[in-house]
Structures are given as C-alpha cells and as structure tokens.
Amino acid sequence: MSKNHLRVSIKTKIVVAACTIVLVSAMIDSIKMLGEFNSRKNETLRLFSSLANQVNESISAQFFERYGDVQAFALNPTLFNTNDAQAISQTLNKYVSLYGIYDLIVYVDPQGKFIASNTQAVSGAKIDWEALAQVNYAEKDWFRSAHMGNFTEDKEKGFSNTYVEDLQIDPLSSMAYGKKMYGNSFSTRVVGPDGKELGVLVARANAHWIENELKSTYDNAQSNGFKSVEILILNKQGVVFLDYNPSVDGESVVRDFNILTKLNLIDKGYPGAREVSESRTGREIVMNNVKNLEQIIAYQPVNSKKFIQGLGWGILVTASTSEVFTNLEKNKQLLIWFSIGSTLFFGIASYIFASSLSRKFSLVSEKLKETAEHTSKMAGRLADSSRSVAEASGEQSAAVQETVSSMAEISSMISQTNQNLRECTDIAAKVSSKSEHGNLIMSRLASAMEGVSNSNHQLQSIANIISEVSAKTTVINDIVFKTQLLSINASIEAARAGQHGKGFSVVAEEVGNLAQMSGTAAKEIQLLIADSHKAVQQIIEVTQSRTTESQTVASEALGAFSEIASGVRAINERLQGVGQATKEQELGISQITVAMNQMDQTTQRNSAIAGEANELVKILASVSERNYKIMRALRTLVVGNEKPTAQKSQDIIEKIIGIEPGNQKDQEEGSQEHPGRRTEGVGVLRELSSKLAQRFTEPSNQEISLSKDPNMADTGHNSSDFNADDDSFRKSA
C-alpha cells in the first residue's frame, strides 16, 4: 500500500475532531451531572437528618412540659380536700379544657380507690366518669409505681417524681369515652401540707401532643420539596408507636391498631429499626425489603436535655428515592439523549462543512499552481530588465565635468575669505586695546560711585537723628497734653472743694514737674537740630564734589566706547564680505553634492545592481518551485487523490483572488504584452518587484570624499551592504 493511500483528508479530520469535541463535552457534562447528583444526594441526606433532629427537639420539648404538668396539677390545694369530689372534678375539667391535650385526669387515694376525675372532654362533652369510679386501681402499674416512688427519672437532667407510661390504647380513656383512645400517661403523688401522701394523680395525654409535632416536621419537609415523607416513632423494642404518613390515605395520622404497639420493625428487618433501638444515629439510602422499594432513611433516638433517654424512643424519617430524585433522574435521561442528538447533529454538520471547505481549498491549490507558472514567466522578464542597467553609466561623464568647475570656484572663494580674516584680526587687536582702556575708566567710575554710596549712608544717619527729634517732640506733646488735663482737673476739684481745696497742692506740684520736663526736652531738641544742620551741610559739599568727579569719568568713558564702536563697525563690514564669500562657497558645494549624488547612484552601484538582479531572478525561480511544491502538499492534505470539479465553487474562488471567471487566458496574454503588469494575489512577485524598485531609487548613504585633485573622487562601493540585504531578502523569501 502506497503512502498516498495512508493519508487522511482534511474533511475526515474535521469530522472526527468535531465528533470528538462533542463526545468529550458530553462526558464532561455527564461527570458534572454525576457530581451534582451525588451532591444532591448528600444534601438530601443532611436534610433528612435535620428533619429527624427536628422531631427529636420538638417531642423532647413537649415531653418536658407534660412531665411537669402533672406535678403542677398535684400542687393545687383543691386536691388536698379529698372529701370534696365535686370541687376536684371542676378543677380537673378546667385543666382538660385549658391544655387541650389530656383526655382524662384521674385522682385516686393511697389504697387505689377512685376519688374524682374530670367529667367533661376537651370539647365540653360529658364522659362516662361513673364507670371509672367503679374500678379499683391498686393493681394498676402506674398507680403502684407512683405510690411506691418508682418514678421515671433522670435526675442529672432534672426529671423526678413522675412516672411515665409508653403510648398505648389507653384503657381508662377508652372506658370513659366509649371508644379506642390512644395516648400515654404521666403519674405523680399528691402530698398534703403536712407531707402526708393523699393519693396518686394520673394525667392521660392523647397522642396528639406528639402527632402535632410530627405534622410541623412534615410541613417543613413539604416546604423543602419532599412531597412524600413518612415519620415513625418506635419504642425501645422496635415496636411502632406512631406512623405519620399523610400521602397514604389523606389522613394526617395512620392509627391502624393492627400496627400500632404490635408491629415490630426489628423483627421485620426494617432499615434503621435495629440501629435506632441501639441508640445509634445515621442516614443512608437503602433497599427497604419490607416495602420493596429504595428509600432514603434517617434515624436517631429521642435524646436531649428535655427527654429521658431511658424510655428508649426512636425516630425514623423515610421517603422513596424515586420521588425525591425524580428531577435528577429526568435530567440524567435528558443529558443522555442530548449527548446522542448533539453528536449526530455536529457529526453531520461537520461533514457538510468539511466537504465544502475541502472543495474550496482544492480550488485554491489550483490557483496557486497557476500563480507559480506566472511567477516563472516574470523571472525571465526580470533577467531582460537587468541588462538595461548598464545604460546609466553614460551619465557619469557630465557629472565629473560639473564637479571640476565647481572645485575651481571653491578654491578662489577660499583665498578671498583668508584675506578678509587677516584684516578682521588686525581690527580685533585694536579693539582689544581700547577695551582695556575703557575698563580702567570704568574702574574709576565705580570708585566714584562708591563714594556716592557712602554719602548716602551719612544721609541715613541724618534721617535717624531726625527720627529721634520726632520722638522727643512726641514726648513734649504728651507732657503738654497731660499738663492741660491736670490743670483742668485741679481747677474743677478746687472749685468743688472750696476751702478744702488745699488737698490739690499735689496736683499743682505735678504740673510744675511736667513743665520742667518740657523745658529740658525743648533744649535737647534745639541741640539736635543744630547738629543735624551742620552734618547736612557737610554731606552736601562732599556729594557735589564727587558728582563733579563722576561726570568727568563718565565723559572719558563715553569717548573710549565711541572708539570701540567704530572698531566694531569696521569688523562688521569685513564680516559681511566673509558672509558673501561663504554664500558663494555654499552654492558651489551644493552643485558638487548634486553631481556626487548622481555619481553615487550610477557609477558606484551599477555593477552591484546587475549582480543583485541576477541573484533576485534565481531567488524568484526558487520561490516559484517552492510554491508549486506547497500547492501539491496542500492539495494532498485537503482531498488526497480527489479532483475539484465544482464549477460554481471555482468561480467563487476566482472572484475572491480578483480574477474574473473565464478571463484567465486573457490575463496571461495581457501580462505578456505589458511587462509592468502584475497578476494580483501573487505576494512573492510583488515583494521582489518592490525590492528592485527600491534598489534603483533609494538615495545613497555613502559619504563623498574630495581630494586635493578635483579630478579625483572616491567611487568605492561597500558590497557588504548588498550582501546583507540579499541574505535578509532570501530569508524573507
């Protein structure tokens, strides 16, 4: 078998890949669904455990209340008078009506004789209490246990002085009501104020006190989405006490007395019954052989701080898994069918898509083959174009003549520039000498100005003296003001005092002191003013002298700087000549630059371009051969030995690559008539043409070196530039 027969087409690969992806996705979804299913199972088991625990807590709370109720009833003083049976019955009727739990409350003496009981039911109906009065209770278990002090106790939890019976068909309540009554009893002793036992009080509670709690738990299960839940209460032997399953017949409680207190689930092998009788707690999914179905079951003993564990009650909460996990099972089935359907759909869709894609790839490969043939033809034309490069060498002669003429003009301009520079040097020396003289004059001017500055300091001292005079004047003014005030005050006080005005002599004395101070200050002011006048006169004389000197120095400096200005003007005139010569040199240099650029584009690169063109032609031929091989590999990869025959798909491909259908022959002829015309879509040929155009048009980066001989020019060419470019181009090709 040949190699070609072992190759798989891209169509087959796409179909297999699509189906594999779908199957893997389906497997992942299945794993996720399985994990979710297990998580839901565990969560459901936890919820069932919480339901069992809720039953445990609620029953325990009710049991704690019932255990204490009978003791509270026994403390009623009405019970202490055993001879007043009517009053006792009325009290017990109130308890029955108030609590709504107790079907019957009976009070007997220490010998077991009937004393009293309630005469009405919870509803207010009469009960047959007379039948109860005919019974002797001395041999009843509850009486003997309470009378002898054998109570149902757990003193660590605070339970004492009450005897508890298990749930049963209550014989006393059934006698009083004339039908089967189901419940349990709580018994205790009645002790008088003197501590003497007066009798035994028993409260017969209906099983509703437990069933109501089971209903609350069942409603909670309903709110969590569990539509069918069964709650069982067992005694320590595994016998069913209560069976709460509303979904069986619509009733809240199934009181089938063929089951209650008779059906032993341990003997029947009911899941969880033995475990709960052994005070174990757990949850599991098991096969219930009794009911022949798979169930979720949670079990635990009734055990809390408010319950006596010694009673051995247990709780079973069960439900059918087919109902609990119905939605999950539907989701599993839906996922399986979805996986099958999606696999078929994507398999067919991928086959159609792969078939279409394969045909288009095949047509593209045919177009690549045609493009490779066009590329070979263009390589031959490039070889013809490379021979025309030699014609550019004729331009070198004219460029050389222009270069020689420009160099002669540059030599003349350089001589004139040197002469101007020598004259500028002489003038600059003279200007330097004048500048030194100007510096000396300016030093004298600075000294004179320093004297003026000192005079200013002296004037500042005069200002200080004047300030002091002002301060003294302020003192005099204050003294005068105070003197006036004192005079006025002295006049006013003297006028008021009359003959007693002698006390104002002190004021007159103070006025005299102030007048003396004023005189002294006035003398000091006169002296200060005289001194200030003399100082100011001296400063004025000095300032006038120094001002005259400064004016003389300024005049000398003005003359010196005038001479400097004349020298600077002469320098400027010479520099203008230098600037004109520089412009002419710049013009000549620009002409040389143009000529040398032409030489660089022709002489230095003509030979290299011809060699490069030949190399590019070889590369183009190699690329054409590679394109043809790639085309064959692509065609083999896509369709193997098949041939594209769909004319419609071929027309679409021709439009995509820019060829009008049916005009392939015309395009080939047009390419032969116009060498510059290129077939669109041929990326390699476009790149090669751009490379050649860049070689002929890009400016040279070579520096032009001029020797002393204007006829000599460096026309050397660094061929490594072309080699480097050629290598990079070959790599890109």
Side-chain angles (χ1 to χ4, degrees), residues 234-256:
L234 311 180
N235 65 6
K236 58 184 176 182
Q237 288 81 27
V239 178
V240 177
F241 270 169
L242 288 174
D243 182 7
Y244 191 91
N245 187 8
S247 62
V248 173
D249 55 1
E251 295 293 330
S252 296
V253 179
V254 178
R255 285 189 176 179
D256 185 354

Side-chain angles (χ1 to χ4, degrees), residues 35-232:
E36 182 180 358
F37 185 78
N38 293 332
S39 177
R40 287 288 300 275
K41 280 186 176 180
N42 294 331
E43 181 64 24
T44 302
L45 288 172
R46 285 193 293 270
L47 287 174
F48 268 70
S49 293
S50 67
L51 292 175
N53 187 63
Q54 181 181 349
V55 174
N56 171 51
E57 296 296 331
S58 59
I59 290 178
S60 298
Q62 287 294 324
F63 176 85
F64 182 82
E65 296 293 331
R66 304 292 80 76
Y67 191 94
D69 285 345
V70 68
Q71 296 185 36
F73 298 162
L75 296 176
N76 195 313
T78 305
L79 302 180
F80 298 161
N81 186 5
T82 58
N83 296 322
D84 192 354
Q86 184 177 0
I88 294 173
S89 294
Q90 292 176 355
T91 300
L92 297 181
N93 285 336
K94 291 180 181 179
Y95 285 143
V96 170
S97 176
L98 178 64
Y99 284 84
I101 294 173
Y102 300 100
D103 294 330
L104 185 66
I105 303 176
V106 179
Y107 184 31
V108 297
D109 64 13
Q111 289 74 35
K113 295 181 180 181
F114 179 86
I115 296 176
S117 71
N118 60 300
T119 60
Q120 297 177 356
V122 176
S123 62
K126 297 293 183 179
I127 64 173
D128 189 5
W129 63 271
E130 290 88 355
L132 299 175
Q134 304 302 320
V135 178
N136 190 318
Y137 301 97
E139 297 302 320
K140 300 297 181 181
D141 183 67
W142 57 268
F143 173 81
R144 286 188 289 105
S145 297
H147 179 65
M148 300 299 295
N150 297 325
F151 300 110
T152 306
E153 295 180 323
D154 188 345
K155 293 184 178 180
E156 291 182 0
K157 296 181 180 180
F159 293 96
S160 62
N161 298 325
T162 296
Y163 175 78
V164 181
E165 284 185 299
D166 278 341
L167 290 168
Q168 59 181 323
I169 299 174
D170 192 350
L172 296 182
S173 297
S174 299
M175 182 186 301
Y177 284 84
K179 61 180 180 180
K180 290 184 178 181
M181 303 296 290
Y182 192 68
N184 70 317
S185 68
F186 300 84
S187 307
T188 189
R189 290 185 296 183
V190 180
V191 180
D194 56 356
K196 182 180 179 181
E197 180 183 352
L198 300 178
V200 174
L201 185 68
V202 58
R204 319 294 294 190
N206 194 291
H208 290 320
W209 72 272
I210 302 176
E211 293 166 352
N212 291 334
E213 303 305 318
L214 299 185
K215 181 179 184 303
S216 176
T217 303
Y218 183 85
D219 293 339
N220 187 21
Q222 291 278 307
S223 65
N224 283 283
F226 304 131
K227 302 302 181 183
S228 177
V229 175
E230 183 178 12
I231 305 174
L232 298 169

Side-chain angles (χ1 to χ4, degrees), residues 557-732:
L558 180 61
F561 281 105
S562 295
E563 294 179 1
I564 293 172
S566 298
V568 170
R569 283 194 295 272
I571 291 174
N572 288 334
E573 292 175 357
R574 300 300 187 278
L575 291 177
Q576 288 178 358
V578 173
Q580 185 64 29
T582 303
K583 289 181 180 179
E584 294 179 359
Q585 290 178 3
E586 183 179 3
L587 180 60
I589 291 172
S590 64
Q591 293 176 356
I592 293 174
T593 302
V594 172
M596 294 306 294
N597 283 336
Q598 293 177 357
M599 294 173 64
D600 186 62
Q601 294 175 7
T602 56
T603 305
Q604 295 180 4
R605 302 182 64 184
N606 281 343
S607 60
I609 289 174
E612 184 182 6
N614 292 329
E615 293 294 328
L616 292 177
V617 170
K618 295 178 181 179
I619 293 172
L620 184 59
S622 175
V623 170
S624 299
E625 184 178 358
R626 289 179 61 191
N627 283 341
Y628 184 77
K629 292 180 179 179
I630 291 171
M631 176 274 299
R632 292 184 59 187
L634 177 61
R635 186 177 184 280
T636 302
L637 176 64
V638 174
V639 296
N641 295 328
E642 297 178 4
K643 293 184 179 179
T645 58
Q647 184 62 34
K648 184 176 180 180
S649 298
Q650 183 175 1
D651 294 342
I652 293 173
I653 298 300
E654 289 177 348
K655 288 182 179 180
I656 292 174
I657 63 175
I659 302 175
E660 292 297 331
N663 292 339
Q664 181 67 28
K665 183 176 180 181
D666 296 338
Q667 184 179 4
E668 294 178 2
E669 294 176 355
S671 299
Q672 294 175 359
E673 293 176 359
H674 303 283
R677 183 176 177 183
R678 294 171 297 173
T679 303
E680 295 182 2
V682 186
V684 176
L685 182 58
R686 184 187 296 112
E687 183 179 2
L688 292 173
S689 300
S690 299
K691 190 73 176 179
L692 286 173
Q694 182 181 4
R695 289 301 187 189
F696 281 99
T697 58
E698 67 179 356
S700 174
N701 294 326
Q702 297 293 328
E703 295 182 356
I704 301 173
S705 60
L706 299 177
S707 61
K708 293 182 180 180
D709 187 355
N711 294 325
M712 297 296 293
D714 186 5
T715 59
H717 185 272
N718 189 357
S719 61
S720 62
D721 296 338
F722 295 104
N723 294 334
D725 292 341
D726 292 343
D727 291 340
S728 63
F729 178 73
R730 292 188 186 98
K731 291 178 182 179
S732 64

Side-chain angles (χ1 to χ4, degrees), residues 271-496:
R274 183 173 299 280
E275 288 81 357
V276 76
S277 68
E278 297 172 355
S279 298
R280 286 189 285 170
T281 300
R283 60 195 183 210
E284 56 186 337
I285 298 175
V286 296
M287 185 65 189
N288 189 340
N289 295 322
V290 177
K291 294 187 176 182
N292 195 26
L293 55 83
E294 188 181 55
Q295 285 186 316
I296 296 177
I297 184 168
Y299 51 87
Q300 73 173 71
V302 181
N303 179 25
S304 72
K305 294 180 180 179
K306 295 183 178 181
F307 192 85
I308 300 175
Q309 191 175 2
L311 291 173
W313 291 10
I315 304 167
L316 288 178
V317 181
T318 67
S320 173
T321 56
S322 61
E323 294 183 9
V324 174
F325 301 122
T326 299
N327 293 332
L328 288 179
E329 291 295 335
K330 289 181 179 179
N331 291 336
K332 286 174 63 178
Q333 296 296 328
L334 182 61
L335 178 62
I336 292 172
W337 285 108
F338 175 79
S339 299
I340 296 173
S342 59
T343 302
L344 293 176
F345 173 79
F346 281 101
I348 295 172
S350 60
Y351 178 82
I352 295 172
F353 171 78
S355 298
S356 176
L357 185 64
S358 176
R359 287 194 299 270
K360 289 180 174 59
F361 268 114
S362 178
L363 293 174
V364 169
S365 66
E366 292 295 327
K367 296 304 176 184
L368 284 175
K369 178 181 178 181
E370 296 173 3
T371 301
E373 294 175 356
H374 285 292
T375 305
S376 299
K377 295 178 181 179
M378 294 304 297
R381 293 174 189 168
L382 285 174
D384 296 336
S385 298
S386 63
R387 288 191 289 269
S388 63
V389 175
E391 297 176 359
S393 60
E395 299 175 2
Q396 294 179 1
S397 179
V400 171
Q401 294 296 328
E402 292 178 1
T403 302
V404 172
S405 176
S406 297
M407 291 300 295
E409 293 178 359
I410 290 172
S411 178
S412 176
M413 291 299 106
I414 290 174
S415 298
Q416 185 177 355
T417 300
N418 290 333
Q419 181 63 30
N420 291 333
L421 289 175
R422 284 195 295 271
E423 293 178 358
C424 289
T425 301
D426 295 338
I427 294 171
K430 295 179 181 180
V431 171
S432 177
S433 177
K434 294 296 183 180
S435 296
E436 292 178 356
H437 182 64
N439 289 334
L440 294 175
I441 294 172
M442 292 305 294
S443 297
R444 292 172 58 191
L445 179 60
S447 177
M449 294 305 294
E450 184 178 358
V452 174
S453 177
N454 293 332
S455 298
N456 289 334
H457 289 298
Q458 293 177 1
L459 289 174
Q460 183 64 37
S461 64
I462 293 172
N464 294 334
I465 294 172
I466 293 172
S467 297
E468 187 176 354
V469 171
S470 177
K472 297 295 183 179
T473 304
T474 302
V475 173
I476 293 172
N477 291 334
D478 291 337
I479 293 172
V480 171
F481 178 70
K482 291 179 180 179
T483 302
Q484 290 175 351
L485 290 177
L486 290 174
S487 297
I488 293 170
N489 290 332
S491 298
I492 294 171
E493 295 297 330
R496 289 179 179 177

